[in-house]
Amino acid sequence: MMQPRAVVMEEGKDPVSVTKTSLSRALSLRILVICLLFMVLGVGLSIISMHSVRFSMIPQIAAKAPSTVQPWFEDATNTLENFIRPPSNLMYNMNDIELLWRASFVPQIKEYPFKRVPKIAFMFLTKGPLPLAPLWDRFFKGHEGLYSIYVHALPSYTGGYPPSSVFYRRQIPSQIVEWGRMSMCEAERRLLANALLDISNEWLILLSESCIPLYNFSIIYHYISRSKYSFMGSFDEPGPYGRGRYNHRMQPEVTLSQWRKGSQWFEVNRKLAVDIIKDTTYYPKFKEFCRPACYVDEHYFPTMLTIQLPHLLANRTLTWTDWSRGGAHPATFGKADITESFFKRIFEGKSCLYNGQPSTICYLFARKFAPSALDPLLGLASKVFGY
């Protein structure tokens, strides 16, 4: 009966110790399994919670920040009408480099895919107000859709034109202009570029605040639209006020034989206007080497266009000016000068070529008229000018 005990004792095992060790191991294993189960359960709940929150917030995010990406065929603004419509607000944020680049775009297909009514762009280069604006308002009345207006004044001037005036909100972003310097031509290029943004502007006329129209709108539109040429004075003057202003450092781009002079006040078609604003060949030469007593506004455009496109120029201006009194500036006319006989002298005794044929209508505009001339001009407008 004692043998089993002796055997156990001989094996060196304690029955009580074995039982405790086994229980301890079993308990540790259960705890480990339970912990693992809790960890798996926690990870699973976390993943489920994250997906629930993510998908529940999508409708809210979509409601707060709708997508701005739309197919082109669903975008109501992406139409031909919006592309060809002229800017409604002339006060843009482009600098001159951006403006000239944008305005230089030229369609390569001549046929227009829409009904285009060609317009005349009237561009006014002025220091401040337009004292003769009421006369121009009368001139433009009833001809909406056939003209556009652009005003370049000093940056400090904000036009106070009433909403009923054609000049209301037609002032473009401008910079300071110095008489006789390149800033004058830069202002003129700025006006041309603004006018080119309206694809319907086919003819562009540069005027001053002292200019008046000598005929009614219909006659002027007919005259300009049917001309084969653009009207810019361009002639070779051998004296000190012509060739005497030439600087030999302008070679080889401009030679003495190519040097030209002309009136600052011009009319050009759309093609020539694009050539003027895209020029980077002659502009640097004139800016550096044509400074008072070389007056760049009298030489830059006439010389450049004579070199490039002489066959498109009528070589005369459409704006009458009286230089008979001498001096650096033309005569100015006030209230006492405005009579029927005064304008009779302008209209009669003139002869020029129009489309290669003799014509007695040589000027469509005249200057310089003082603010005091407004009232008598309005009184004579109907009888003398036809508007």
Side-chain angles (χ1 to χ4, degrees):
M1 296 293 296
M2 298 296 294
Q3 189 173 355
R5 179 180 176 84
V7 173
V8 174
M9 293 296 292
E10 287 176 3
E11 293 175 356
K13 304 289 185 182
D14 187 350
V16 177
S17 298
V18 171
T19 302
K20 289 182 178 180
T21 303
S22 300
L23 291 173
S24 177
R25 288 180 177 177
L27 182 60
S28 299
L29 184 60
R30 285 183 181 181
I31 293 173
L32 180 60
V33 171
I34 292 170
C35 290
L36 288 173
L37 287 174
F38 273 108
M39 288 178 62
V40 172
L41 181 62
V43 171
L45 290 173
S46 298
I47 293 173
I48 293 172
S49 299
M50 289 174 62
H51 279 273
S52 299
V53 171
R54 178 183 175 185
F55 286 109
S56 66
M57 290 183 66
I58 287 177
Q60 300 177 20
I61 294 174
K64 293 181 180 179
S67 175
T68 58
V69 179
Q70 298 177 352
W72 67 269
F73 50 81
E74 292 181 3
D75 187 357
T77 64
N78 210 1
T79 64
L80 179 63
E81 181 183 357
N82 280 314
F83 178 78
I84 63 177
R85 182 188 301 147
S88 58
N89 183 9
L90 297 184
M91 302 307 290
Y92 49 77
N93 292 320
M94 291 184 287
N95 58 38
D96 277 1
I97 295 175
E98 295 167 338
L99 171 65
L100 296 177
W101 177 81
R102 173 63 183 87
S104 68
F105 288 3
V106 178
Q108 299 303 307
I109 299 177
K110 294 183 178 180
E111 296 293 329
Y112 290 92
F114 58 94
K115 184 179 179 181
R116 177 179 181 261
V117 178
K119 297 191 296 185
I120 299 177
F122 292 81
M123 309 176 301
F124 291 85
L125 181 60
T126 175
K127 293 181 179 179
L130 295 169
L132 304 176
L135 184 70
W136 284 99
D137 281 330
R138 182 183 293 188
F139 167 78
F140 286 117
K141 188 176 181 180
H143 301 283
E144 292 76 12
L146 295 177
Y147 67 86
S148 301
I149 293 175
Y150 304 88
V151 179
H152 187 294
L154 292 177
S156 59
Y157 177 76
T158 55
Y161 307 105
S164 59
S165 174
V166 295
F167 297 101
Y168 182 65
R169 293 183 176 178
R170 300 310 299 173
Q171 189 169 324
I172 68 170
S174 61
Q175 295 185 23
I176 294 176
V177 175
E178 295 181 87
W179 181 71
R181 296 190 176 271
M182 190 47 113
S183 58
M184 181 78 75
C185 291
E186 289 168 351
E188 294 170 7
R189 299 214 306 175
R190 202 172 294 123
L191 279 164
L192 289 169
N194 275 272
L196 287 171
L197 294 180
D198 184 343
I199 201 167
S200 293
N201 285 332
E202 183 63 27
W203 308 283
L204 306 91
I205 302 174
L206 181 67
L207 302 158
S208 75
E209 74 278 8
S210 65
C211 286
I212 65 168
L214 294 175
Y215 296 91
N216 63 42
F217 185 92
S218 297
I219 292 176
I220 290 178
Y221 185 91
H222 181 275
Y223 193 97
I224 290 175
S225 63
R226 297 197 177 188
S227 174
K228 298 177 182 178
Y229 306 99
S230 289
F231 296 91
M232 178 174 291
S234 178
F235 54 92
D236 181 9
E237 183 176 310
Y241 302 113
R243 288 198 174 199
R245 295 174 176 176
Y246 175 74
N247 189 323
H248 288 276
R249 287 181 290 178
M250 301 184 76
Q251 297 185 56
E253 287 78 8
V254 180
T255 65
L256 179 60
S257 63
Q258 295 171 324
W259 185 254
R260 293 293 183 272
K261 181 180 180 180
S263 171
Q264 176 185 5
W265 315 105
F266 59 79
E267 178 275 329
V268 294
N269 63 22
R270 190 173 184 88
K271 173 178 172 47
L272 294 185
V274 172
D275 287 337
I276 289 173
I277 67 161
K278 75 177 185 180
D279 170 48
T280 56
T281 301
Y282 305 100
Y283 174 85
K285 291 289 185 176
F286 277 87
K287 185 173 184 179
E288 183 174 2
F289 299 119
C290 183
R291 300 180 180 182
C294 175
Y295 299 104
V296 67
D297 53 282
E298 296 181 1
H299 297 281
Y300 173 37
F301 297 154
T303 300
M304 179 189 70
L305 293 180
T306 298
I307 294 173
Q308 293 185 327
L309 300 161
H311 60 288
L312 297 181
L313 299 179
N315 290 336
R316 64 183 178 90
T317 181
L318 291 176
T319 302
W320 178 86
T321 309
D322 182 6
W323 290 95
S324 62
R325 300 179 185 179
H329 301 281
T332 299
F333 305 101
K335 181 178 181 179
D337 299 299
I338 309 305
T339 62
E340 289 186 44
S341 59
F342 171 81
F343 289 104
K344 187 177 181 180
R345 292 196 300 270
I346 296 177
F347 291 130
E348 296 180 354
K350 302 294 187 298
S351 179
C352 57
L353 291 179
Y354 176 76
N355 288 338
Q357 300 297 320
S359 174
T360 57
I361 300 180
C362 300
Y363 299 106
L364 303 182
F365 309 95
R367 64 188 298 269
K368 300 174 56 173
F369 292 87
S372 63
L374 176 61
D375 288 339
L377 284 171
L378 289 171
L380 289 177
S382 177
K383 183 178 181 180
V384 175
F385 308 134
Y387 58 85

